[in-house]
Amino acid sequence: MRSRNGNFPFLFTSLALITTLALKADNYYIGYRLTAKNAQPINETLSISKAMQPCIASNNSPSLILKCTPNERLESVLQREENNFLEFASSQELHIQSNDIVGVSHTQLLNSLTLPTKCYAVEFNDESVTITATK
Amino acid sequence: MRISALLALLFTIPALHAGFLSPDEPESKVKCVYSGTDGHCVEPILKSQNEIVITVVGQGVAPSVTASPAQAYALAKRAAMVDGYRLIAEKVKGVEVEGQDTIKNMMLMQSTTRTSVEALVRGANITNTTFKEGLCEVEMEISLSYSRVLR
């Protein structure tokens, strides 16, 4: 027989799982990094990983609705609609790091933009997918 | 002694009049943090009643080798976005500037200036995008207010 304290994490996880299943939303961790040298992009990385544990969504989180075909994976949706997703995600929070070196003979501008890896609730419908930022 | 006390009193009265005794300035008047060489207001102060909107234009260029014009546009826009965010960070947070000059035999051999910016930006939006002759310009704005800063 479990103690009262021992049951709490089990109950909490079960409730979170049931809530997630009830909302029919999967959770994904998405991160992005872009490096531009002399105003030209040189490296771009979009990382998508399915969350192993459900994330807790807040009530007034912003959402993005993208078109998708039936049985399409999130990776291919985001590759196609990358601009829309980046505008949506970057309007919330991003990290910018910039280093410029200006000399007599050469000039180098190096900018790096990073979207912190964050959990998103992703709900697939028939012809659209709703991506909601969670905290 | 009396003369010096009288002089001190005479100097104190205008100072009191300009400072403590004068009524508060109207809120609509913009104060300057510092002024440029021409005396114009450079940086407005953020107050609890109003909000400051900062607008920047970021520029980006597509790589010389791309698979299609659409890819060139997408990549140039990304670079322009990064530039725009850098400009926002520069305006809001400031720039670290480091200069280094190397002098040998009383002659300048090398001169380098490094600038760096690092910031976490929240709530910036793209308002306009133009793409012409390989150059993409992204107009971005961020609104600063007490409620956003303290969020």
Side-chain angles (χ1 to χ4, degrees), chain A residues 3-118:
Chain A
S3 67
R4 189 172 288 177
N5 288 339
N7 283 336
F8 180 72
F10 174 74
L11 285 171
F12 180 75
T13 312
S14 304
L15 277 173
L17 190 63
I18 288 164
T19 310
T20 310
L21 289 173
L23 292 171
K24 294 181 182 176
D26 291 329
N27 292 133
Y28 287 85
Y29 280 98
I30 303 174
Y32 177 78
R33 186 183 179 89
L34 172 69
T35 307
K37 188 178 180 182
N38 295 333
Q40 285 189 338
I42 56 167
N43 189 21
E44 186 180 34
T45 314
L46 178 68
S47 313
I48 305 166
S49 173
K50 196 164 185 178
M52 297 178 79
Q53 289 186 339
C55 306
I56 300 163
S58 58
N59 292 328
N60 51 358
S61 298
S63 295
L64 173 73
I65 299 172
L66 299 172
K67 286 183 181 175
C68 75
T69 54
N71 300 324
E72 191 175 9
R73 296 181 68 204
L74 180 66
E75 286 84 347
S76 61
V77 174
L78 288 185
Q79 273 182 358
R80 195 183 59 246
E81 303 274 354
E82 202 172 336
N83 274 335
N84 288 330
F85 174 74
L86 288 180
E87 280 190 30
F88 161 73
S90 60
S91 66
Q92 295 164 53
E93 186 177 291
L94 66 81
H95 183 253
I96 185 88
Q97 188 174 17
S98 175
N99 287 294
D100 294 356
I101 301 170
V102 179
V104 178
S105 55
H106 77 289
T107 299
Q108 181 182 294
L109 317 172
L110 194 67
N111 294 330
S112 175
L113 180 150
T114 309
L115 285 176
T117 304
K118 204 172 171 182

Side-chain angles (χ1 to χ4, degrees), chain B residues 9-123:
Chain B
L9 189 65
L10 282 173
F11 282 122
T12 311
I13 288 168
L16 283 172
H17 181 70
F20 301 112
L21 300 180
S22 63
D24 291 339
E25 292 180 8
E27 293 301 331
S28 59
K29 192 176 177 183
V30 177
K31 284 183 180 176
C32 287
V33 173
Y34 58 88
S35 294
T37 51
D38 53 356
H40 287 130
C41 183
V42 179
E43 294 280 342
I45 291 177
L46 179 64
K47 290 182 177 178
S48 57
Q49 298 89 349
N50 58 6
E51 65 173 26
I52 297 173
V53 178
I54 291 172
T55 308
V56 297
V57 178
Q59 293 181 323
V61 183
S64 52
V65 181
T66 50
S68 65
Q71 191 192 29
Y73 170 72
L75 291 173
K77 190 178 176 184
R78 300 282 161 75
M81 275 174 63
V82 179
D83 189 43
Y85 276 109
R86 180 207 152 93
L87 292 171
I88 285 175
E90 275 183 9
K91 285 199 173 190
V92 175
K93 200 179 174 188
V95 192
E96 281 185 30
V97 183
E98 184 189 341
Q100 190 176 24
D101 289 346
T102 308
I103 295 169
K104 189 179 178 184
N105 294 334
M106 302 300 286
M107 281 173 62
L108 182 68
M109 303 300 291
Q110 191 184 8
S111 177
T112 311
T113 309
R114 290 167 182 263
T115 59
S116 61
V117 177
E118 193 171 347
L120 187 76
V121 182
R122 256 188 212 154

